[in-house]
Amino acid sequence: MEIAIKDNKRNWQIVKDNRRYLFPPKIRLAFKICILVYAVLVLINVLMRQFKLWMAFVLPIAIIVFEVQIYYFAKKTINLQKEIFKKEEISFDLVFLDEGIDMIQESQHTFIEYKTIKEVIDTGILIMMLTRAGAVLYFEKKNATKTQYEGIREIFEKKNILCKMKNI
């Protein structure tokens, strides 16, 4: 079975709107652990009645720093694309095969096996596939028909990939 999703775009607006999914998952996990540790420490300080006002500002500052890093990472991704392809926006096709996904981008083929895909997320506009190596593949929902969408969901379910795809 072969399912081809054509005319997907990679441009600044798409990357900016979905940058939190494009950031490496290990860093996102580390950030969540730090927030949890911070919350526990603040709770302990409140219970011991040693809470200081400056402690309340640590978390918002950390969130701002993290958001700036995400924005910077997204900007670097687009600048690298501009440098390689000499374009503001590139088009790519995804071909879902039985053993993996073939990404055709400006006459370059990249093959991704299904066993390397960790999770599939539906953002509303995009279907994002996160790989174990931290790379992200995606396609725009508007480019897929209902039968293609259902076929792709079946492939992910057959391959036991965590799939959070909503109904069209």
Side-chain angles (χ1 to χ4, degrees), residues 78-116:
I78 288 298
N79 287 341
L80 184 63
Q81 166 191 309
K82 287 179 189 176
E83 188 177 306
I84 292 171
F85 296 107
K86 311 282 190 258
K87 294 181 181 178
E88 293 286 326
E89 178 177 280
I90 60 168
S91 296
F92 62 94
D93 301 334
L94 292 178
V95 181
F96 292 83
L97 304 167
D98 290 333
E99 57 279 344
I101 302 169
D102 188 18
M103 181 176 174
I104 305 165
Q105 177 177 315
E106 301 290 325
S107 74
Q108 296 177 347
H109 288 262
T110 306
F111 187 76
I112 295 94
E113 294 180 356
Y114 289 119
K115 66 182 179 184
T116 63

Side-chain angles (χ1 to χ4, degrees), residues 113-127:
E113 294 180 356
Y114 289 119
K115 66 182 179 184
T116 63
I117 296 175
K118 180 171 68 174
E119 183 179 8
V120 179
I121 300 171
D122 187 346
T123 67
I125 298 170
L126 303 175
I127 302 297

Side-chain angles (χ1 to χ4, degrees), residues 11-87:
N11 59 31
W12 170 242
Q13 192 60 43
I14 288 173
V15 171
K16 188 174 99 175
D17 292 344
N18 297 286
R19 64 184 176 257
R20 68 186 189 113
Y21 299 108
L22 298 172
F23 208 72
K26 290 178 182 175
I27 293 175
R28 281 187 285 159
L29 178 64
F31 184 71
K32 289 175 185 175
I33 290 170
C34 288
I35 287 175
L36 182 64
V37 168
Y38 168 78
V40 169
L41 290 175
V42 167
L43 183 62
I44 289 171
N45 281 318
V46 167
L47 294 174
M48 294 177 65
R49 297 175 193 212
Q50 295 180 356
F51 182 76
K52 305 277 191 258
L53 186 59
W54 66 267
M55 292 178 189
F57 295 106
V58 173
L59 183 63
I61 290 171
I63 291 172
I64 290 168
V65 167
F66 187 66
E67 284 295 319
V68 167
Q69 286 178 332
I70 290 174
Y71 185 85
Y72 176 75
F73 182 77
K75 199 66 169 165
K76 280 294 248 191
T77 301
I78 288 298
N79 287 341
L80 184 63
Q81 166 191 309
K82 287 179 189 176
E83 188 177 306
I84 292 171
F85 296 107
K86 311 282 190 258
K87 294 181 181 178

